[in-house]
Amino acid sequence: MKHLIPVTGFGPARADLDRLFERFFEGGNFSGGGEGRSLVRVDVAELTDAYQVRAEVPGVPADAIELKLDGRTLTIAGEKPRAFDEQPDQVLHREAGFGAFRRVLEFPLQVDGDSVVARHEQGVLYITVPKAQAARSRVIEIQREA
């Protein structure tokens, strides 16, 4: 029969790993199912004339979400309510996160903040952020010799 030897000495490595996760999830909270731990997962696509953002916000009503555009930086913030009020000793299992969330996205090119459109549909937030006219790519016609 083999005896298990306890492994020790991971203190510094664990601290480094914790810092890595903190940096990776900066701008959003790590998903884990507790207060203040609901992560807004986003997909961002770049089109010729705009950026499209799709943010998953299940269980969060549209009026509990705040969108702010400051220059090229878009902030999605809000609060996801608890699924139901319970006493700590009544919880058998919890995976769904709740509490305040904040996600910050920075676009690589200038955007037109006056033309941003957002809609909330079945727990998904769709945001279209048009590029500024100067940042849009365009085809340039080459003039031919006469």
Side-chain angles (χ1 to χ4, degrees), residues 68-75 105-106 111:
K68 181 181 176 188
L69 184 66
D70 185 17
R72 296 181 301 143
T73 304
L74 176 69
T75 302
L105 304 170
E106 185 169 347
V111 296

Side-chain angles (χ1 to χ4, degrees), residues 56-62 64-65 79-83 97 101 120 122-124:
E56 296 178 351
V57 288
V60 183
I65 301 170
E79 186 157 352
K80 181 178 179 183
R82 291 176 187 251
F101 59 84
H120 185 273
Q122 298 182 4
V124 180

Side-chain angles (χ1 to χ4, degrees), residues 28-58:
N29 297 315
F30 183 68
S31 174
E35 188 169 7
R37 295 182 173 264
S38 59
L39 174 68
V40 176
R41 295 177 184 213
V42 297
D43 295 325
V44 181
E46 181 177 10
L47 307 176
T48 303
D49 59 350
Y51 296 100
Q52 289 187 333
V53 179
R54 181 186 176 279
E56 296 178 351
V57 288

